[in-house]
Amino acid sequence: MSIRAVVAGAVVIIAAVAVSLSGQHSAEAEPGAPQTLPTLKAWEPGRGAFSLGAQTRVVYTHDALRDTATDFATGLQSFTGNTVVAQSDSISSAGDIVLSIGPVPGAPETPEAYRISIGETLDLRGADLAGAFYATSSALQLLRQRNELPGGTVTDWPQYRERSLMLDVGREFMPVDLLRAQIRRMGYLKLNLLHLHLSDTFGFRLESEWHPEITAAQHYSKQDIRDLIEYAARYQVEIMPEVDFPGHMNGILAAHPDLKLRSANGRVSDAAIDIANPRAYDLMRDILEEFLPLFPGRYWHLGADEFLLDGARVASFDEYPQIGAYARATYGPQAQPVDAFLGLINWGADIVRAHGKRPRVWNDGLHAGAGTFAIGADIVVDYWSRAGVPQLPLPYFGNARSPADLIAAGHEIRNAAFTPTYYVTGGPTAVGNVPPPIAYQLWDPTLFVDGTRLTPAQNTRNLGSGLFVWCDDPTVQPPDRIAAAITMPLRVTAQQTWGPPQAISYPAFAALADAVGEPAS
């Protein structure tokens, strides 16, 4: 995406949040309660204490927990220097850490819930594998701060199903080792979805056997992707790929200039494919059919944003009469030009569904009252652009369907509000990056970029939110600097999506972040 966090948008949402949350303040955690990041849902003090000895066993009770127990033992040993071993056993002794799976009383029914019981042993129980892993993440943070933990019981679970990080590797290639480091960081913070924006202005980053001409010099091999998916699974992170259609296709169209969208006056778009050209669908289908089987996750992101964005200029469908003609020929004489765009989304979604996955798109092309038919209700909509901000003369943003309207139409959505969830690495849009203290104090995933807040009933259709890293100008920050720069924004994202927000003041939160640090490499 190109038009991102503009200053006026930042002012609009920050003002809306400030009014919405005026009078609210952070409550400091109960003195003596264990502290993790994100903060814990429930703590019940008890008797006794757990002491970490010079030699510690991590006892796991299910074979499926072997990898989690082994990784936990390795992480604990790296932090403490103590000898820590993982082994399967049904009997535990004082000083052991016990990892198990079972019901988590007092928590909602989610596989990500967990309980930590602190006494002579440290008992980590997850509702399922994800919860068990998150129990180890919290235990690592607790034991990194001190070797002795007060007796009691932690019960914890996420507020939102999706807690994500998006990386724009289409504009700025990021090495596999850096992606692995971000996955480790995500696991430590209980983030569970890595969204890879794999194709954009400066390259198509997947190794294509069907169309080798579109593969960028810097790219990920198919084995790179398989290894990364396997690595992410150990940290309970799902990888969601995005190959953007029908805009942001510069990296693909450079090898297929005959498929570029051309206006009636001869203006050629380097980014948009001509959706009135049947051969465009052949190329897009090939890309989908080749790479959908490579990713085993639940989702495939079709993009579908900023189709008619030409630099800083938003074009009109009227400038491309071939699109209107295609829509009428395909969908009937009553069809509007935008129906060709909506039809493309449904066409791509059908291919995604045929591979057993669920399609997703960005929201900005879904205009109120536009078109003669709707996109499939099962399509997840990532909502980043606002509706009804009259002081911004940008028609591409001014009449986007509202979050509530999309929910009413049957969609699940993700809050991807460009203010404050975006981190833009450079260029004019970077001025809208919101400082972490403001995002922490004034925003949570119920508040969308149009200034509206979802009701509790509506929010059940809100999958969550994330941090979206856009490399509009890849010359500004190398990947390692980006990784360093997003440290606090990612921690804030983890807090606001795990919830509840504002469990402690921002200064206390920042101090806690320093105390728990970063995961072991």
Side-chain angles (χ1 to χ4, degrees):
M1 298 184 179
S2 297
I3 293 183
R4 288 299 178 191
V6 273
V7 177
V11 171
V12 168
I13 194 166
I14 290 171
V17 182
V19 170
S20 169
L21 298 179
S22 61
Q24 296 187 21
H25 62 279
S26 301
E28 297 301 327
E30 176 186 344
Q35 294 287 296
T36 65
L37 195 162
T39 52
L40 302 168
K41 285 287 194 305
W43 162 247
E44 182 179 346
R47 296 180 178 178
F50 174 80
S51 295
L52 187 65
Q55 295 186 342
T56 301
R57 286 198 316 163
V58 178
V59 176
Y60 57 93
T61 61
H62 296 72
D63 286 343
L65 293 170
R66 180 183 292 108
D67 287 346
T68 298
T70 300
D71 291 345
F72 173 61
T74 300
L76 192 57
Q77 184 164 310
S78 71
F79 288 151
T80 63
N82 295 351
T83 299
V84 185
V85 296
Q87 62 185 72
S88 176
D89 204 335
S90 58
I91 300 175
S92 60
S93 304
D96 284 345
I97 301 175
V98 182
L99 183 61
S100 64
I101 294 174
V104 180
E109 290 189 13
T110 167
E112 296 182 310
Y114 68 92
R115 169 166 285 192
I116 299 177
S117 300
I118 306 172
E120 288 189 346
T121 59
L122 185 64
D123 293 334
L124 313 179
R125 168 177 287 196
D128 208 330
L129 294 178
F133 174 79
Y134 293 144
T136 67
S137 294
S138 287
L140 280 172
Q141 293 188 15
L142 293 172
L143 293 168
R144 191 172 188 176
Q145 297 173 71
R146 53 186 177 180
N147 287 335
E148 182 170 301
L149 303 178
T153 303
V154 167
T155 308
D156 204 14
W157 64 90
Q159 184 171 356
Y160 291 94
R161 287 168 281 170
E162 285 187 6
R163 306 171 303 279
S164 57
L165 169 64
M166 193 219 75
L167 296 174
D168 178 10
V169 297
R171 289 194 182 90
E172 183 163 359
F173 182 79
M174 300 183 185
V176 170
D177 284 349
L178 184 140
L179 298 184
R180 285 176 173 242
Q182 298 316 300
I183 287 168
R184 292 193 297 272
R185 178 185 268 180
M186 291 175 71
Y188 198 55
L189 296 174
K190 305 184 182 73
L191 299 166
N192 64 358
L193 184 69
L194 177 59
H195 175 175
L196 294 179
H197 184 77
L198 289 160
S199 179
D200 211 300
T201 312
F202 301 110
F204 180 81
R205 303 300 185 183
L206 293 171
E207 177 188 38
S208 177
E209 298 170 18
W210 295 19
H211 287 280
E213 75 281 359
I214 70 174
T215 299
Q218 290 183 299
H219 64 269
Y220 308 107
S221 70
K222 289 182 176 178
Q223 192 58 49
D224 286 337
I225 295 297
R226 294 186 189 100
D227 291 346
L228 194 67
I229 290 167
E230 182 179 359
Y231 187 79
R234 292 181 76 107
Y235 294 86
Q236 297 300 317
V237 172
E238 178 180 352
I239 293 181
M240 177 174 71
E242 178 188 354
V243 175
D244 212 339
F245 298 152
H248 291 278
M249 292 184 65
N250 310 58
I252 296 170
L253 293 175
H256 293 271
D258 54 312
L259 298 181
K260 291 180 179 180
L261 182 63
R262 288 167 169 79
S263 69
N265 66 6
R267 187 181 180 94
V268 178
S269 170
D270 290 328
I273 200 167
D274 187 353
I275 60 175
N277 187 335
R279 290 188 298 110
Y281 294 84
D282 294 337
L283 177 60
M284 290 185 286
R285 179 184 290 276
D286 280 353
I287 293 170
L288 290 172
E289 295 287 359
E290 180 177 7
F291 290 106
L292 272 161
L294 181 61
F295 293 88
R298 295 167 294 167
Y299 299 106
W300 180 277
H301 205 299
L302 291 163
D305 63 301
E306 299 181 335
F307 172 43
L308 297 184
L309 189 65
D310 188 359
R313 172 179 171 272
V314 180
S316 163
F317 277 110
D318 295 339
E319 298 176 42
Y320 308 97
Q322 75 271 30
I323 294 179
Y326 173 85
R328 291 187 293 275
T330 306
Y331 303 111
Q334 78 288 351
Q336 301 173 16
V338 72
D339 285 315
F341 170 77
L342 300 174
L344 170 71
I345 293 175
N346 282 337
W347 170 86
D350 284 343
I351 297 173
V352 172
R353 294 186 194 102
H355 285 265
K357 302 184 193 306
R358 190 172 178 189
R360 299 176 78 131
V361 297
W362 301 103
N363 79 292
D364 57 273
L366 308 177
H367 291 191
T372 61
F373 59 87
I375 65 170
D378 67 316
I379 297 174
V380 176
V381 180
D382 290 328
Y383 200 100
W384 73 274
S385 72
R386 64 196 173 281
V389 184
Q391 63 267 45
L392 292 178
L394 298 174
Y396 203 74
F397 305 106
N399 62 347
R401 294 173 67 182
S402 71
D405 179 39
L406 290 168
I407 289 170
H411 296 282
E412 288 187 310
I413 62 177
R414 173 173 56 162
N415 191 340
F418 67 78
T419 303
T421 70
Y422 281 15
Y423 178 83
V424 184
T425 62
T429 58
V431 298
N433 290 343
V434 174
I438 294 177
Y440 179 84
Q441 295 169 10
L442 300 181
W443 180 83
D444 71 73
T446 64
L447 182 66
F448 280 71
V449 72
D450 62 351
T452 62
R453 186 178 291 279
L454 296 183
T455 67
Q458 291 168 335
N459 204 44
T460 62
R461 305 289 291 174
N462 179 10
L463 294 175
S465 189
L467 178 67
F468 299 83
V469 179
W470 294 102
C471 305
D472 286 14
D473 184 350
T475 67
V476 173
Q477 290 180 287
D480 58 339
R481 283 185 55 198
I482 294 172
I486 66 173
T487 299
M488 281 307 294
L490 199 60
R491 290 167 171 171
V492 170
T493 296
Q495 178 61 51
Q496 305 300 68
T497 54
W498 186 268
Q502 298 177 286
I504 54 178
S505 68
Y506 185 79
F509 177 80
L512 174 60
D514 288 341
V516 303
E518 291 285 296
S521 59

